[in-house]
Amino acid sequence: MADSNEPVARPQTSVTRGVLLETLSALLKPGDFEDYGPNGLQVEGKPHVRKLVSGVTACEDLIDAAIAAQADALLVHHGLFWRGMDGTLTGWMKRRVQKLLAHDINLLAYHLPLDAHPQWGNNAQLGVRMGWGAGRPIKDRSLVFQAEVTYGSGLTLGADIARKLGRTPTVIDAGKPIRQLHWCTGGAQSYFQKAIDAGADAFVTGEISEPQAHLARECGVTFIAAGHHATERYGAPCVAQLVADELGLEHQFIEIDNPA
């Protein structure tokens, strides 16, 4: 699904913005999360939605593409507003917000709720994409998922990731077979210790920072950074298509490539 930029044709029906938000809220349960930014409606647009566009990040290129696609609403994983921002609308932020308002496009963003959904979220959908299955959290409400797999080494796992995600990952190979695989999409390198403590043979996430290479070597657990964008391409279009099917909307996923 996430590899196609072609819109999925639907009857020319529409729903209110409120119905769309209620449907997403019932599915993703954003109230259950203490997040780094607001989940749900970030920029208010037109009151009725016929066409829903999904993407990973609310960057200017995606907003331009949503305008060209005649979107009424844009659903993303990475929205515009994050904890610690100064709140001013200048420069790139002004341009993004200005374009959304000028074209009356609703911006909907779901961060941790979209990572955590056990069936349609980023973690689950990455697992499905890779052939690991949707997996399950290592403990209640954890964002780290786990599954039983069979790989001869971290290098073998890294090669499988490169083949299926179309990106060469950074692999710190512990040099042993992998049976217990843990993963968390995006910038979750700080969760590596949780995976080690939970008995992982390998941990897959999007990014690597300086400490993880040392921990991998010292603890004998493979660490793989497969790309923030590359690991988080699947939740937003999956959720958007599910909701579009339920509400009778037109949906289009638009990919804006990002090497990060």
Side-chain angles (χ1 to χ4, degrees):
M1 177 192 305
D3 291 321
S4 175
N5 280 8
E6 293 301 316
V8 177
R10 298 288 168 206
Q12 298 297 304
T13 60
S14 68
V15 298
T16 66
R17 178 179 57 243
V19 167
L20 176 59
L21 286 168
E22 288 170 5
T23 303
L24 285 164
S25 184
L27 178 68
L28 297 174
K29 297 179 172 54
D32 291 350
F33 296 86
E34 184 178 346
D35 213 333
Y36 304 96
N39 288 300
L41 183 66
Q42 290 196 348
V43 177
E44 183 177 286
K46 60 192 64 174
H48 288 85
V49 175
R50 179 189 60 81
K51 182 169 184 178
L52 176 63
V53 164
S54 63
V56 178
T57 299
C59 61
E60 191 171 5
D61 283 345
L62 179 60
I63 292 169
D64 286 342
I67 292 168
Q70 298 183 310
D72 303 309
L74 175 59
L75 187 150
V76 298
H77 179 49
H78 301 132
L80 292 179
F81 306 109
W82 301 95
R83 185 190 305 161
M85 296 177 70
D86 65 10
T88 58
L89 295 180
T90 60
W92 58 267
M93 178 66 85
K94 174 197 170 184
R95 292 195 302 273
R96 294 182 188 183
V97 174
Q98 190 173 48
K99 288 182 176 184
L100 289 166
L101 292 175
H103 294 272
D104 220 10
I105 297 174
N106 296 283
L107 176 65
L108 317 174
Y110 295 90
H111 186 231
L112 295 184
L114 193 56
D115 289 323
H117 193 280
Q119 186 175 4
W120 310 115
N122 283 320
N123 281 324
Q125 286 300 305
L126 177 64
V128 170
R129 176 81 176 189
M130 286 300 307
W132 308 329
R136 62 191 186 280
I138 60 174
K139 61 181 181 179
D140 186 44
R141 297 176 65 83
S142 175
L143 292 172
V144 178
F145 278 38
Q146 65 182 341
E148 289 73 42
V149 299
T150 303
Y151 289 99
S153 68
L155 295 176
T156 305
L157 172 56
D160 192 36
I161 289 172
R163 183 169 57 254
K164 292 175 179 174
L165 299 190
R167 173 196 170 103
T168 301
T170 298
V171 180
I172 312 299
D173 182 23
K176 65 181 184 182
I178 296 168
R179 299 292 179 266
Q180 287 293 324
L181 176 64
H182 294 188
W183 71 93
C184 185
T185 63
Q189 61 267 49
S190 64
Y191 289 177
F192 188 27
Q193 187 64 58
K194 296 181 185 294
I196 293 170
D197 294 343
D201 297 316
F203 180 65
V204 176
T205 186
E207 301 180 10
I208 185 169
S209 299
E210 195 274 346
Q212 282 80 54
H214 302 296
L215 284 175
R217 294 167 183 148
E218 293 169 17
C219 297
V221 178
T222 290
F223 182 95
I224 296 181
H228 196 132
H229 179 84
T231 58
E232 293 196 327
R233 294 178 63 246
Y234 306 106
C238 187
V239 165
Q241 188 63 62
L242 184 76
V243 170
D245 287 341
E246 179 178 341
L247 299 178
L249 304 177
E250 182 180 353
H251 167 244
Q252 181 179 356
F253 171 69
I254 297 178
E255 168 77 333
I256 304 296
D257 189 41
N258 187 338

